[in-house]
Amino acid sequence: MYGKLMSACVAGIDGVLVEVETDIANGLPFFQVVGLPDSAIRESTERVRAAIRNSGFTYPMERITVNLAPADVRKEGSAFDLAIAAGILEASGQIRLEDAAHTLWIGELALDGTLRPVSGVLSMVHQAARQGLKRVVLPLENAREANLVGQLEVVTVKELRELADPLVLTRSWRDMEEADEPSAAGGSADCGSAMHAGEDYADVCGQHQAKRALVIAASGKHNLLFIGPPGTGKTMLMRRLPTILPEMDDEEALEVTKIYSVAGKLTDRGQLLRLRPFRSPHHTVSPSGLAGGGSIPKPGEISLAHHGVLFLDELPEFSRLSLEAMRQPLEDRKVTIGRARATYTYPAHFLLTASMNPCPCGFFGVESATEVCTCSPLKIAQYRSRISGPLLDRIDLHVEVPRTRYEDLAFSDTDRHLSSQEMKAQVMEARRIQERRYKGSPYRYNGELSGRALRQYCRPTGEAEALLASAFQVMGLSVRAHDRVLKLARTIADLEASDEILLKHLAEALQYRKLDKKG
């Protein structure tokens, strides 16, 4: 007796369809799953056996072999339980399944036969729709997530015993829930965002240069570092950065939602994420926690910040290994994790922001009678050397955040500071200019340019080029730093709606390199 159903697993953030073949033959009672299953799948033999018995079906006392094809791809997770159990019941003649070749089966089984939700359903269903499947059967808790794809008929099953009714697969969950679907524009997840209602840059007194740097970083997707003594508002400024970023488009929202689905961090499975992620891991995070990995690989913080912001507060306190793990993703915009049996790739196109003190005590350069720096030049050098030159070279804006003057704090009711809405308007206009410029090309932001595109779109005027040539020698810029200055100048020009990179644009871009490791 033979049966075949379709199920799926996740590799990276993409779904992989798997054929679940079931063969029941004469012989001593035996149950084996083959096809490179992990321990969770091998343990499914006990869950499936108990679920079949406790659901009122008869467990075949014969030799049962389940093959997960393709056999050379490693499978992980508990999403195959429902497909394995349904395959056994169909092969033994206890149930009849219509249109099995075009149906995806996903779900984890409890010992009493009830179905439990699994992670990564959005990726699995999205891949099933691409490959022409028409229907998906899964737990009720995963129905809204599967419905986001919108191309497959969604059928929910609460208990395994429901499969005894041949009509259960004809009841579309979408039809039954259509009237109750939420109308909210965006879903929610544990995105790590520290934003609260009412947070606005209008509440930040002074710090005009820091605000300017935030607008530039958000406009062209340029990495940003704040350096300054304690209490200057570095963290507060960074945590308000999501308030000036635009919402994600459909393609970005789907990709980010898939990442959070795979990571098991979706709290509202019925909507795509629209707000850009803001991740702020603690400085004790491990390299695998930052870049991803583990015995069962999962996305790390830099992938959870995809299309959003990764904020590293107190940058020198992070371990050297963790910081160096970001160098390759900052260039390639993806993370590749190699394992003995498989290689996983996670997207990692994020805006890196960070903050640090100028020295271990934090008061180097502070003009105060009570707060005096006690650090020796050697200690300051050792402290700054925790951040490697190659990593600093990948940060476009190095901005000093000084202490706020009292005059900026004691303002009258008629005084007004630049608000998030005004800053966001500048960002949106600059991004529209970039969208028109790079239409039809693989680029979207100035910060992404490289090679021929960099020379085409970031050509300075004669005066500006002369300044850049002089700065290249005097400041000892690397080729990478040279290119990043040009891209930064292109964004500054876009903020002024200038087609050309003028002398003033390049001069401003160069001043943001003054806190490089050499300086």
Side-chain angles (χ1 to χ4, degrees):
M1 295 175 286
Y2 173 82
K4 182 174 74 173
L5 298 177
M6 299 298 298
S7 189
C9 61
V10 175
I13 68 163
D14 297 319
V16 178
L17 293 192
V18 176
E19 294 181 357
V20 180
E21 299 178 296
T22 305
D23 178 74
I24 302 178
N26 294 328
L28 294 175
F30 183 73
F31 191 173
Q32 183 179 22
V33 180
V34 298
L36 287 183
D38 71 343
S39 57
I41 300 174
R42 288 193 294 269
E43 291 172 355
S44 68
T45 58
E46 299 302 322
R47 293 194 298 271
V48 169
R49 181 185 290 111
I52 290 177
R53 287 174 174 170
N54 293 328
S55 297
F57 297 106
T58 300
Y59 182 78
M61 299 303 293
E62 297 172 276
R63 184 180 183 87
I64 303 174
T65 303
V66 175
N67 177 46
L68 306 179
D72 60 342
V73 176
R74 185 167 181 81
K75 291 86 180 177
E76 297 174 340
S78 57
F80 296 101
D81 287 9
L82 179 59
I84 293 173
I88 292 174
L89 295 176
E90 183 190 32
S92 61
Q94 299 183 63
I95 63 173
R96 183 178 177 182
L97 303 176
E98 298 291 341
D99 200 19
H102 296 93
T103 302
L104 182 68
W105 298 78
I106 302 172
E108 177 186 332
L109 283 172
L111 297 184
D112 63 353
T114 57
L115 265 71
R116 292 171 174 163
V118 296
S119 300
V121 165
L122 182 59
S123 299
M124 300 179 200
V125 176
H126 189 231
Q127 184 62 28
R130 285 179 173 177
Q131 296 190 215
L133 271 64
K134 301 177 181 177
R135 180 172 57 188
V136 56
V137 182
L138 39 56
L140 178 62
E141 293 84 349
N142 289 126
R144 293 188 180 276
E145 184 179 352
N147 192 45
L148 292 174
V149 177
Q151 301 176 36
L152 275 74
E153 180 185 359
V154 179
V155 176
T156 59
V157 177
K158 295 181 180 179
E159 298 178 315
L160 186 63
R161 70 180 79 242
E162 294 180 24
L163 298 182
D165 182 3
L167 297 178
V168 70
L169 299 184
T170 64
R171 302 167 186 163
S172 172
W173 172 87
R174 188 178 299 156
D175 294 338
M176 294 185 292
E177 295 291 323
E178 187 175 10
D180 298 328
E181 284 185 357
S183 58
S188 61
D190 178 18
C191 294
S193 177
M195 285 194 302
H196 300 284
E199 284 197 347
D200 195 294
Y201 278 116
D203 302 327
V204 180
C205 302
Q207 303 298 2
H208 303 296
Q209 185 182 20
K211 287 184 179 181
R212 168 71 172 175
L214 287 162
V215 170
I216 295 172
S219 298
K221 209 159 190 177
H222 301 287
N223 301 325
L224 171 64
L225 171 65
F226 280 166
I227 180 168
T232 57
K234 302 185 297 294
T235 302
M236 177 185 64
L237 285 162
M238 289 296 194
R239 290 192 180 278
R240 281 167 165 76
L241 182 55
T243 64
I244 66 174
L245 295 175
E247 289 188 351
M248 294 182 286
D249 59 29
D250 291 342
E251 182 180 351
E252 292 175 329
L254 177 61
E255 196 169 11
V256 172
T257 307
K258 286 166 66 174
I259 295 174
Y260 279 81
S261 174
V262 169
K265 293 183 177 293
L266 281 181
T267 54
D268 180 0
R269 301 177 185 270
Q271 296 289 334
L272 293 176
L273 300 177
R274 293 295 180 181
L275 297 179
R276 295 187 181 273
F278 182 91
R279 304 296 301 183
S280 181
H282 192 260
H283 60 77
T284 57
V285 66
S286 66
S288 60
L290 196 62
S295 56
I296 300 178
K298 291 290 185 181
E301 290 292 336
I302 61 178
S303 293
L304 294 173
H306 185 54
H307 291 314
V309 179
L310 177 67
F311 174 45
L312 304 183
D313 202 4
E314 302 296 340
L315 184 63
E317 302 301 329
F318 286 78
S319 72
R320 184 72 174 242
L321 289 176
S322 297
L323 294 179
E324 295 306 297
M326 294 192 301
R327 284 167 54 179
Q328 178 259 342
L330 283 171
E331 295 291 334
D332 298 341
R333 304 185 189 95
K334 63 182 179 181
V335 180
T336 301
I337 300 171
R339 292 292 181 264
R341 294 183 179 271
T343 300
Y344 303 87
T345 299
Y346 299 108
H349 192 187
F350 58 94
L351 173 61
L352 174 64
T353 62
S355 67
M356 61 178 286
N357 295 324
C359 65
C361 75
F363 300 114
F364 178 74
V366 176
E367 298 180 1
S368 172
T370 58
E371 296 171 335
V372 179
C373 178
T374 58
C375 304
S376 66
L378 178 60
K379 283 186 176 181
I380 295 175
Q382 289 175 340
Y383 177 75
R384 296 196 176 191
S385 68
R386 297 178 187 176
I387 311 169
S388 69
L391 180 60
L392 276 177
D393 214 26
R394 289 167 167 83
I395 299 178
D396 302 340
L397 296 102
H398 304 170
V399 181
E400 186 173 3
V401 183
R403 287 282 177 89
T404 304
R405 301 176 305 169
Y406 180 77
E407 290 78 7
D408 292 326
L409 295 176
F411 62 91
S412 65
D413 293 338
T414 59
D415 291 333
R416 190 175 59 86
H417 300 290
L418 196 64
S419 68
S420 292
Q421 184 177 0
E422 293 170 316
M423 294 169 68
K424 185 174 183 178
Q426 297 179 40
V427 172
M428 295 296 292
E429 182 57 33
R431 289 200 172 190
R432 278 192 287 268
I433 292 174
Q434 294 170 74
E435 184 180 354
R436 292 193 296 269
R437 179 188 299 130
Y438 304 131
K439 187 176 182 179
S441 74
Y443 304 103
R444 297 189 64 181
Y445 308 104
N446 294 328
E448 300 174 352
L449 296 176
S450 63
R452 185 178 302 174
L454 178 67
R455 294 191 295 272
Q456 178 182 354
Y457 297 114
C458 299
R459 186 180 298 276
T461 61
E463 286 183 316
E465 189 171 4
L467 175 62
L468 181 59
S470 175
F472 187 81
Q473 298 296 329
V474 174
M475 299 176 67
L477 299 178
S478 67
V479 176
R480 180 188 292 114
H482 167 273
D483 292 348
R484 288 184 177 273
V485 167
L486 280 176
K487 290 184 281 188
L488 200 58
R490 178 68 270 170
T491 299
I492 295 171
D494 288 342
L495 285 168
E496 296 187 2
S498 173
D499 293 332
E500 294 184 316
I501 298 178
L502 304 177
L503 179 63
K504 62 178 180 178
H505 303 144
L506 194 60
E508 183 178 356
L510 283 170
Q511 76 167 351
Y512 294 122
R513 305 296 304 187
K514 65 181 180 181
L515 291 175
D516 209 335
K517 202 170 183 181
K518 292 181 181 294

